[in-house]
Amino acid sequence: MIMETQILEIDERSLALSKKIILSGGAVAFPTETVYGLGANAFDDNAVKNIFAIKGRPSDNPLIVHVHSGYNLSSLVSYIPEYTKLLSKAFLPGPLTMVYRSCNKVSPAVSCGLDTLAVRIPSHKGAQQFLKYLDLPIAAPSANISKHVSPVTARHVYDDLKGRIEVILDGGKCEGGIESTVLDCTGDIPCVLRSGLVTADMIAQVVGECHEYVMKDGEKVRSPGMKYKHYSPNCQTILFEYSDRAKAFAEYKELKSQGKRAVIMCDNSVYEELKPQDVLNLGKDEREMAANLYDKLREGERIADIIVAVAPLKQDGVMVGVMNRMRKAFG
Ligand code: TXA
Ligand code: MG
């Protein structure tokens, strides 16, 4: 079904329209502090299934449920470990998603049949307005076509989903830039399934210990999203390690001499060192790099045939999450 897609400021009118759409089983795109989400009523089976169809998302990759900060969590999950209360106090609302034992109140399509439920309370003002206005758990993946780069502006959402949804609520550019940290809280010690702005170290500082999940060969994936190619721009890509930056520069020049539209993606220090003419500069520090990554990947696919990326020197802290996305984007 092709429909007209509108980008709307968040106000009483657009919220009322969004509510009408959500209550009739539709999906609305909304901003969060990480990336834009594509939301539907988590209680509504067909609405949740529709989200997978709109995105072309594999049917075994579960969704995060979003709620406002006053929502009663215990109505959605069966057990709330003590340490998650400490984490909520330290980091919520904010870019931390916690996975709990589900009490099966939302549609089974949300968690794709798993007995757990991922819950997130975003801090973005527009997200909170939207979620409070609805007062429902909203199942929402990132608002991009599956496997493409996640959207950090309303325009990015439009570019991917125009004709497929009616409303995109515009809350400006997302400040965080990479998706929330996904933390498995079903065990005695929390375990990071997807890295993000709330790092394993930050979590360990609050609760004493935090594991980081590494997939072993043959093991059943705990966070199904991790097995898919992701975040990929629609152009050729190649990634060099930081120590190979001179090789990257030579490759870029070679491609240019062949008449290809090549561009270097790197952090500011590598930019200062190599001074390439065509650059997607990720910035100076980890926060800047996280905030710029998806915007620059989308700019790259627009202006270049090939992105030649150099891995930043810094790879700890928030950069764990940034590097994880870079490696997936660059295959
Ligand atoms: O920042 C974000 O988290 C954004 C915004 C919109 O909130 N959302 C987002 O959703 O990134 P999505 O669908 O693109 O990624 C959800 C991730 C996937 O890796 C999925 O496998 C994992 O969360 N996930 C969801 N439910 C889970 C569960 N019950 N157990 C383990 N992992 C789960
Ligand atoms: Mg996604």
Side-chain angles (χ1 to χ4, degrees), residues 55 57 142 144 150 179 194 230-231:
K55 284 190 50 130
R57 182 180 178 99
S142 49
N144 51 282
S150 298
E179 297 84 350
R194 177 176 73 182
H230 262 131
Y231 323 119

Coordinates of all heavy atoms in Angstrom, one line a residue, residues 55 57 142 144 150 179 194 230-231, ligand 2:
K55 N 9.8 -2.7 7.1 CA 11.3 -2.6 7.0 C 11.9 -3.7 6.2 O 13.1 -3.6 5.9 CB 11.8 -2.8 8.5 CG 11.7 -1.5 9.3 CD 12.4 -1.7 10.6 CE 13.9 -2.2 10.4 NZ 14.9 -1.4 11.1
R57 N 12.3 -6.6 7.6 CA 13.1 -7.1 8.7 C 13.0 -8.6 8.8 O 11.8 -9.2 8.8 CB 12.7 -6.4 10.0 CG 13.5 -6.8 11.2 CD 13.0 -6.0 12.4 NE 13.6 -6.3 13.7 CZ 14.6 -5.5 14.2 NH1 15.0 -4.5 13.6 NH2 15.0 -5.8 15.4
S142 N 14.8 0.5 14.7 CA 15.3 1.7 14.0 C 14.5 1.9 12.7 O 14.1 0.9 12.0 CB 16.8 1.6 13.7 OG 17.1 0.4 13.1
N144 N 14.7 2.4 9.5 CA 15.4 2.3 8.2 C 14.9 1.1 7.6 O 14.3 0.2 8.2 CB 16.9 2.3 8.4 CG 17.3 1.2 9.5 OD1 17.1 1.4 10.7 ND2 17.7 0.1 9.0
S150 N 21.2 3.2 9.9 CA 20.1 3.7 10.8 C 19.9 5.2 10.6 O 20.9 5.9 10.3 CB 20.4 3.4 12.3 OG 20.5 2.0 12.5
E179 N 22.7 3.2 18.2 CA 21.6 2.6 18.9 C 22.0 2.4 20.3 O 23.2 2.3 20.7 CB 21.2 1.3 18.2 CG 20.7 1.4 16.8 CD 21.8 1.4 15.8 OE1 23.0 1.5 16.2 OE2 21.5 1.3 14.6
R194 N 24.7 -5.7 22.9 CA 25.0 -4.7 21.8 C 25.6 -3.5 22.5 O 25.0 -2.9 23.4 CB 23.8 -4.3 21.0 CG 24.0 -3.3 20.0 CD 22.8 -3.0 19.1 NE 21.9 -2.2 19.8 CZ 20.7 -1.8 19.3 NH1 20.3 -2.1 18.1 NH2 19.9 -1.0 20.0
H230 N 24.5 -5.2 8.6 CA 23.8 -4.1 9.1 C 24.4 -2.8 8.7 O 25.6 -2.8 8.3 CB 23.9 -4.1 10.7 CG 22.8 -4.7 11.4 ND1 22.9 -5.6 12.3 CD2 21.4 -4.4 11.2 CE1 21.7 -6.0 12.8 NE2 20.8 -5.3 12.1
Y231 N 23.7 -1.7 8.8 CA 24.3 -0.4 8.8 C 25.0 -0.1 7.5 O 25.9 0.7 7.4 CB 25.2 -0.1 10.0 CG 24.8 -0.7 11.3 CD1 25.6 -1.7 11.9 CD2 23.6 -0.4 11.9 CE1 25.3 -2.2 13.1 CE2 23.3 -0.9 13.1 CZ 24.1 -1.9 13.7 OH 23.7 -2.4 14.9
Ligands
MG2 MG 18.3 -1.4 13.6

